[in-house]
Amino acid sequence: MQTAHKTDPVSKLIYELSKLPGIGEKTATRLAYFILKQDESYSRNLAEALINAKQKIILCGQCFTFTDTDPCRICENPERDRSSICVVERPSDVFSVEQSGAYKGTYHVLHGILSPLDGIGPDELKLRELISRLGQNSNVREIIVATNPSVEGEATALYISRLIKPFGIKVTKLAHGIPVGGMLEYTDRQTIGKAMENRMELLS
Amino acid sequence: MQTAHKTDPVSKLIYELSKLPGIGEKTATRLAYFILKQDESYSRNLAEALINAKQKIILCGQCFTFTDTDPCRICENPERDRSSICVVERPSDVFSVEQSGAYKGTYHVLHGILSPLDGIGPDELKLRELISRLGQNSNVREIIVATNPSVEGEATALYISRLIKPFGIKVTKLAHGIPVGGMLEYTDRQTIGKAMENRMELLS
């Protein structure tokens, strides 16, 4: 980016914004000029939110999601079902599952997936911590492995199910199928295949 | 947005980011989690850039673009051609024309376009200031009106050309045509019509 080395404040703002994922120089420029048009309170609020979020956010000592309280709001909520742990790759996946409103148990964030080519083995993930949770809490009945359906995600799911087998706890994974509102025409072959395999009886 | 009223720092950051144009809650969430994963220096730099840009940026006293020096770097650059003024709607348009590298004159930012329905008349734009510049500098030979090709933009261009007529200065506007790299198939009828009207002789 040519403007990166200029020292004027607008170019600097565009440069910092363009480091965000999916934000190219053109979008960063549009955002910067939008910000300049707003009241000063707008950029101050955003700046404060940035500093606050980064300074106050830690990892939950139990589930390792991002949180500003330890344990996090989910882990300390007495209404959450502690007999179920949903294992996800990243803190943002906790947010996604929460948005669905379909899950009332607890979480465990791995902070990555097994990827031998990238040098990420079991010790790089929060797997030891998961086993330690299972040792401390004998009420866990089910581990739902919600890693993404990539090759590495599936391999990680398989690894976890083998790791947990000695505990005699049920290990499940999320179902594959046609997305809600999705059209068969635009759905890939593998997904249709999985949806066919997992077909369910109507009016059963 | 449901999370807007939550007080935890991540929700607050998502809320502030989602006020940006073209950034919905989903993108804001993705950006927030990206920011949380980076070093603290990243969010601090972005926060500083935001504050600095908004605090240090003023309007140039000559051309009224955003600047941190008055006059702005373009107006004070002795290598810019002062006989030409390119009139644009917004400061970001100065950036766009500069990026093209095709213009070496000076600018004048209107900060809007004529739009009677929105109550924006000539007095709401920096038109008086443009006339005053022409009065002070008798070397101006050409005004290039680079308002956007909307109904209001064209009306503003026409208004400006009438306003400047008494000065005997040439008033031009940007050419319409097929975008570079554009396909006829995806170009709208009006643009093709203008490109046809403005067609140029090959090997002339």
Side-chain angles (χ1 to χ4, degrees):
Chain A
M1 205 180 105
Q2 273 205 318
T3 49
H5 306 294
K6 290 191 191 164
T7 54
D8 71 284
V10 180
S11 300
K12 180 90 175 89
L13 178 58
I14 293 171
Y15 174 65
E16 292 295 337
L17 286 169
S18 68
K19 289 183 188 169
L20 290 168
I23 307 280
E25 192 184 345
K26 215 157 185 171
T27 306
T29 305
R30 196 164 50 83
L31 296 180
Y33 281 105
F34 170 86
I35 289 163
L36 289 171
K37 267 198 303 185
Q38 309 308 305
D39 282 347
E40 199 172 332
S41 67
Y42 177 72
S43 49
R44 210 170 41 231
N45 286 344
L46 180 51
E48 269 173 26
L50 281 161
I51 296 288
N52 271 341
K54 191 60 194 175
Q55 281 181 344
K56 294 191 184 155
I57 293 300
I58 51 175
L59 296 186
C60 171
Q62 284 177 39
C63 75
F64 298 95
T65 195
F66 288 144
T67 175
D68 59 334
T69 59
D70 190 12
C72 72
R73 287 177 172 75
I74 294 172
C75 283
E76 73 175 356
N77 184 344
E79 284 171 22
R80 304 295 300 218
D81 176 8
R82 273 142 227 272
S83 73
S84 167
I85 299 179
C86 177
V87 178
V88 296
E89 294 174 22
R90 301 170 305 173
S92 54
D93 297 328
V94 172
F95 187 85
S96 300
V97 178
E98 282 297 286
Q99 293 280 77
S100 77
Y103 181 66
K104 295 297 167 207
T106 59
Y107 293 91
H108 192 86
V109 181
L110 296 175
H111 286 272
I113 38 173
L114 294 177
S115 181
L117 289 178
D118 300 319
I120 300 175
D123 288 346
E124 274 68 48
L125 308 182
K126 303 283 183 195
L127 281 171
R128 210 189 307 266
E129 292 80 354
L130 177 62
I131 299 303
S132 146
R133 272 179 84 176
L134 297 182
Q136 284 160 22
N137 175 2
S138 57
N139 295 326
V140 177
R141 301 263 163 74
E142 183 176 4
I143 303 277
I144 302 166
V145 184
T147 49
N148 287 308
S150 60
V151 174
E152 291 87 355
E154 301 283 13
T156 308
L158 199 65
Y159 184 90
I160 292 174
S161 66
R162 284 188 189 140
L163 198 67
I164 286 166
K165 211 173 175 206
F167 291 86
I169 296 168
K170 186 164 72 170
V171 180
T172 58
K173 64 173 200 163
L174 296 185
H176 286 299
I178 314 290
V180 177
M183 308 256 291
L184 285 185
E185 192 179 349
Y186 303 123
T187 306
D188 65 282
R189 286 183 302 173
Q190 281 87 347
T191 302
I192 294 183
K194 292 283 184 183
M196 189 59 79
E197 270 177 45
N198 303 332
R199 66 191 181 278
M200 299 169 75
E201 208 173 335
L202 281 165
L203 305 173
S204 64
Chain B
M1 205 179 105
Q2 273 205 319
T3 48
H5 307 294
K6 291 191 191 165
T7 53
D8 71 285
V10 180
S11 300
K12 180 90 176 88
L13 178 57
I14 293 170
Y15 174 66
E16 291 297 335
L17 287 169
S18 68
K19 288 183 191 168
L20 291 168
I23 307 279
E25 192 184 345
K26 213 157 184 171
T27 306
T29 305
R30 195 164 51 81
L31 296 180
Y33 280 105
F34 171 86
I35 290 163
L36 288 171
K37 266 200 301 185
Q38 309 308 303
D39 282 347
E40 197 171 334
S41 66
Y42 177 73
S43 50
R44 209 169 42 232
N45 286 345
L46 179 51
E48 268 173 26
L50 281 160
I51 296 288
N52 271 342
K54 190 60 195 176
Q55 280 181 346
K56 294 191 184 155
I57 294 300
I58 51 175
L59 295 186
C60 170
Q62 284 177 40
C63 75
F64 299 95
T65 194
F66 289 143
T67 176
D68 59 333
T69 59
D70 188 13
C72 73
R73 288 178 171 76
I74 295 171
C75 283
E76 73 175 358
N77 184 346
E79 285 172 23
R80 303 296 298 218
D81 175 8
R82 274 141 227 273
S83 73
S84 167
I85 298 179
C86 177
V87 177
V88 296
E89 295 174 22
R90 301 170 305 173
S92 55
D93 297 328
V94 172
F95 186 87
S96 300
V97 177
E98 283 296 287
Q99 293 281 75
S100 78
Y103 181 66
K104 296 295 169 210
T106 58
Y107 292 90
H108 192 87
V109 181
L110 296 175
H111 287 272
I113 37 172
L114 294 178
S115 181
L117 289 178
D118 300 318
I120 300 173
D123 289 346
E124 273 68 49
L125 309 182
K126 303 283 185 196
L127 281 170
R128 209 190 309 264
E129 291 82 354
L130 176 61
I131 299 303
S132 146
R133 273 178 84 175
L134 298 181
Q136 285 161 22
N137 175 2
S138 56
N139 296 326
V140 178
R141 301 265 161 74
E142 182 177 4
I143 302 277
I144 302 166
V145 184
T147 49
N148 286 308
S150 59
V151 174
E152 292 87 356
E154 301 283 12
T156 307
L158 199 65
Y159 183 91
I160 292 173
S161 67
R162 284 188 189 136
L163 197 68
I164 286 164
K165 211 174 175 203
F167 291 87
I169 296 169
K170 184 163 73 169
V171 181
T172 58
K173 64 173 199 165
L174 297 185
H176 287 298
I178 314 290
V180 176
M183 309 256 291
L184 286 184
E185 190 179 350
Y186 303 123
T187 307
D188 64 284
R189 287 182 303 174
Q190 281 86 349
T191 302
I192 294 182
K194 291 284 184 185
M196 190 59 80
E197 269 177 46
N198 303 332
R199 66 191 180 279
M200 298 170 77
E201 209 175 331
L202 280 165
L203 304 173
S204 65

